[in-house]
Amino acid sequence: MNKEKEYTLNQSTKQPVVIWVIFFATVISFMGLGLVDPILPAIAEKLHAVPSEVSLLFTSYNLITGIAMLITGVVSSRIGIKWTLLIGVILIAVFSALAGTSDSIWSIVSFRGGWGLGNALFIATALSAIVGLSVGGTAKAIILYEAAIGLGISVGPLLGGELGSISWRGPFYGVSVLMIIAFLVLLIKMPKVEKPRVKTSVLDPIKALKFPGLFRLGLTAFFYNIGFFTLMAFAPFVMGLDEHGLGYVFLGWGLCLAITSVFVAPKLQAKFGTIKSMCSMLILFALTLAAMGIWTDSSKIVIIAVIVAGLFLGTNNTLITTAVMQVAPVERATASAAYSFVRFIGGAIGPWMANKLAENFNSHMPFISGAIFVLLAMLVVLSGRKHLEHVDKIAH
């Protein structure tokens, strides 16, 4: 029995070098998301911007990321995975540095759009590369990818809080330096990977959405990401914490996200199935947002709720990503691009809408609205069960 366990462990850890190179770069890439979060109130204060204007840092980033997903397959199928990753990484490095030099909220918003272009080229290619090149099957590969995301998201806020306490520009420069390191590691260590035999077109991701299962998951992620980025973009403004405090809160959030994405999601999926587990996580996340909406004036409750939400977000992220990779009869890169195109549009709407609701109504409304959208995501999954039930059969 011990030999069997040892063999399984070795199989999950003995991945090709290229996988660990991409893993490292993915960690650094997603550190960029968390690095910025602790400085949102500071940017609003220093640049004399209202929260809805600051939220556009997420909106421009997600909007361009979503649209650019349509060209990721076109680029990677022509220049190869390695150079697509390298171009994505260097674009993030350049535009994050430019954001750090900016003196107006609108120039930062613009540079975040360029950052989103680099992000799209990197994350879509990284996911398909890890799934395609790893040892142990799709499910284990996605867990590895989600672990990299969770690690990056959890460490990012801590570093962002430390750098942000020195200057709000610090996290932007920090991202740039880290991405240059990732660029050098990929350039030196990543071997050349063969280009796909079939060159994809811009329309391929759009055509892939005709498959009901993939469309359902994309729509689910669209609504879910409105709630996700409501928490990311609005919660910092009601917690009443400085950069250090926000960094520690989102560190706890990210750790919960990382742990559940790796250890909890596979167990829930094996015991209850993907659909039931996903619906449960969406309901729990919606209830968490609702609690934040009811007790918005209590910073302690909001802080605890943000950290607890990481448990549900990490689990759901792994479940939905695994389902996307298995649900549509198209290439993984195309499925990833189609799904990401839809979900990032939701991520673009959520931050701006949340802060506008707060400005026009009150600080409770963004969280209540986010909870409603997450419940809509759950209903989309439930109503499309017949298109998704085969996912568990594939997984096993």
Side-chain angles (χ1 to χ4, degrees):
M1 187 68 180
N2 290 334
K3 289 183 178 180
E4 289 179 4
K5 287 183 178 179
E6 185 179 348
Y7 175 78
T8 303
L9 180 63
N10 288 337
Q11 285 297 97
S12 62
T13 56
K14 285 187 176 180
Q15 296 288 351
V17 174
V18 62
I19 295 299
W20 296 114
V21 172
I22 299 171
F23 179 90
F24 171 74
T26 303
V27 170
I28 296 177
S29 174
F30 278 89
M31 282 178 71
L33 183 64
L35 273 167
V36 175
D37 221 46
I39 59 170
L40 294 179
I43 292 176
E45 180 184 351
K46 299 294 183 182
L47 299 183
H48 309 290
V50 297
S52 62
E53 292 174 336
V54 176
S55 72
L56 293 176
L57 269 68
F58 285 105
T59 295
S60 62
Y61 173 84
N62 286 330
L63 180 63
I64 299 302
T65 297
I67 295 172
M69 283 294 172
L70 298 177
I71 67 166
T72 55
V74 175
V75 175
S76 64
S77 65
R78 284 162 176 79
I79 67 174
I81 289 175
K82 180 174 181 177
W83 286 105
T84 304
L85 290 172
L86 288 171
I87 291 172
V89 166
I90 204 64
L91 283 174
I92 296 172
V94 169
F95 283 107
S96 59
L98 289 171
T101 64
S102 301
D103 291 315
S104 75
I105 188 64
W106 299 110
S107 59
I108 298 177
V109 168
S110 299
F111 290 135
R112 281 281 284 181
W115 189 338
L117 173 61
N119 185 59
L121 291 171
F122 178 82
I123 63 174
T125 309
L127 174 58
S128 60
I130 286 179
V131 171
L133 300 173
S134 66
V135 176
T138 299
K140 288 183 179 179
I142 289 171
I143 290 170
L144 192 64
Y145 177 75
E146 291 294 339
I149 292 175
L151 188 59
I153 287 177
S154 60
V155 175
L158 186 63
L159 185 58
E162 294 300 318
L163 294 175
S165 65
I166 300 170
S167 168
W168 66 264
R169 301 178 191 273
F172 290 110
Y173 292 134
V175 170
S176 185
V177 171
L178 288 170
M179 293 313 286
I180 290 172
I181 294 172
F183 177 85
L184 294 174
V185 172
L186 284 168
L187 184 64
I188 297 169
K189 293 292 185 179
M190 184 173 177
K192 185 178 180 181
V193 181
E194 289 186 14
K195 300 177 186 177
R197 294 180 181 178
V198 180
K199 290 182 171 60
T200 60
S201 74
V202 176
L203 295 178
D204 285 346
I206 300 295
K207 292 177 181 177
L209 291 172
K210 70 181 181 182
F211 296 105
L214 185 60
F215 177 77
R216 289 276 176 178
L217 290 174
L219 190 59
T220 299
F222 173 85
F223 290 130
Y224 161 66
N225 268 269
I226 292 177
F228 183 101
F229 279 96
T230 292
L231 183 146
M232 287 287 290
F234 185 66
F237 289 102
V238 298
M239 284 191 276
L241 300 174
D242 61 10
E243 293 86 350
H244 282 292
L246 289 172
Y248 286 122
V249 170
F250 280 97
L251 169 65
W253 171 80
L255 287 173
C256 288
L257 187 149
I259 291 168
T260 54
S261 66
V262 176
F263 299 107
V264 177
K267 291 182 179 180
L268 288 177
Q269 186 180 35
K271 188 170 184 178
F272 301 107
T274 302
I275 308 306
K276 288 182 180 178
S277 300
M278 197 185 302
C279 288
S280 298
M281 291 304 106
L282 290 170
I283 290 171
L284 289 170
F285 180 40
L287 290 174
T288 305
L289 285 172
M292 294 169 73
I294 295 169
W295 292 288
T296 310
D297 297 328
S298 171
S299 59
K300 289 183 179 179
I301 291 178
V302 173
I303 290 168
I304 293 170
V306 167
I307 296 171
V308 169
L311 299 172
F312 314 133
L313 296 172
T315 306
N316 190 65
N317 285 349
T318 296
L319 292 170
I320 197 168
T321 305
T322 304
V324 166
M325 291 293 100
Q326 297 170 336
V327 75
V330 295
E331 290 186 358
R332 292 187 182 98
T334 302
S336 175
Y339 159 74
S340 296
F341 166 67
V342 179
R343 75 180 174 114
F344 275 108
I345 300 301
I349 294 170
W352 180 82
M353 184 175 68
N355 284 280
K356 272 297 180 184
L357 286 171
E359 289 171 9
N360 292 318
F361 296 96
N362 55 59
S363 58
H364 302 269
M365 282 300 296
F367 297 120
I368 299 298
S369 173
I372 293 171
F373 279 106
V374 174
L375 285 177
L376 284 175
M378 186 272 296
L379 292 174
V380 170
V381 175
L382 277 181
S383 62
R385 277 181 298 179
K386 65 179 181 180
H387 301 298
L388 301 172
E389 285 177 344
H390 66 287
V391 169
D392 291 314
K393 296 177 183 178
I394 297 173
H396 292 90

